[in-house]
Amino acid sequence: MSTQTAPAVEMPRKAPQASERPVSAKTAAEFLQIHVRSVTRLAGVGHIPGHPIGYGQRKKWLFYISELDEWLRAQVCSEPSRRRQGTGEQIA
C-alpha cells in the first residue's frame, strides 16, 4: 500500500452573475472598509479579486461585490494569521 497525500483542493471561484455589474474601486473600498488606494494596491498584487481595464499608471480597476464577498468570507474562515498568534511569552 502506498500512502499518498491528497493534493490541496482549491475552491473554484464562482463567476459573477450575468446581471451583476462591476463596481469602482471607491465602492469596493467602502464595501471592504479600507482606503481606495489600498484596494487598488491589493488588487494590483493579486491579493484581492479585481479586473484591470487599460494599461500603465492610469489603468482602472473594476470589482464584483460577489467576488469580494467570497474573498472576505474566505479570509474570516481561514486559519488565523501569524500576526494574530502570540508567541506564548508572558510579559512581566
Side-chain angles (χ1 to χ4, degrees):
M1 265 202 225
S2 68
T3 55
Q4 294 180 346
T5 58
V9 177
E10 188 176 312
M11 289 181 57
R13 264 177 47 183
K14 296 178 193 171
Q17 295 291 326
S19 61
E20 183 181 8
R21 292 191 162 279
V23 297
S24 68
K26 180 180 178 186
T27 305
E30 290 171 1
F31 176 76
L32 295 173
Q33 297 181 358
I34 59 176
H35 196 274
V36 176
R37 292 179 82 184
S38 297
V39 168
T40 55
R41 183 177 44 80
L42 291 170
V45 297
H47 191 68
I48 64 173
H51 304 276
I53 306 296
Y55 299 98
Q57 293 273 341
R58 306 221 8 119
K59 100 173 80 174
K60 182 177 179 178
W61 285 91
L62 296 177
F63 302 88
Y64 288 98
I65 295 296
S66 62
E67 290 179 344
L68 294 174
D69 184 55
E70 183 180 339
W71 173 82
L72 194 57
R73 289 175 190 273
Q75 300 307 304
V76 172
C77 296
S78 68
E79 61 185 71
S81 69
R82 291 184 183 168
R83 228 180 350 197
R84 294 184 194 149
Q85 295 174 351
T87 58
E89 298 175 16
Q90 296 291 327
I91 299 174

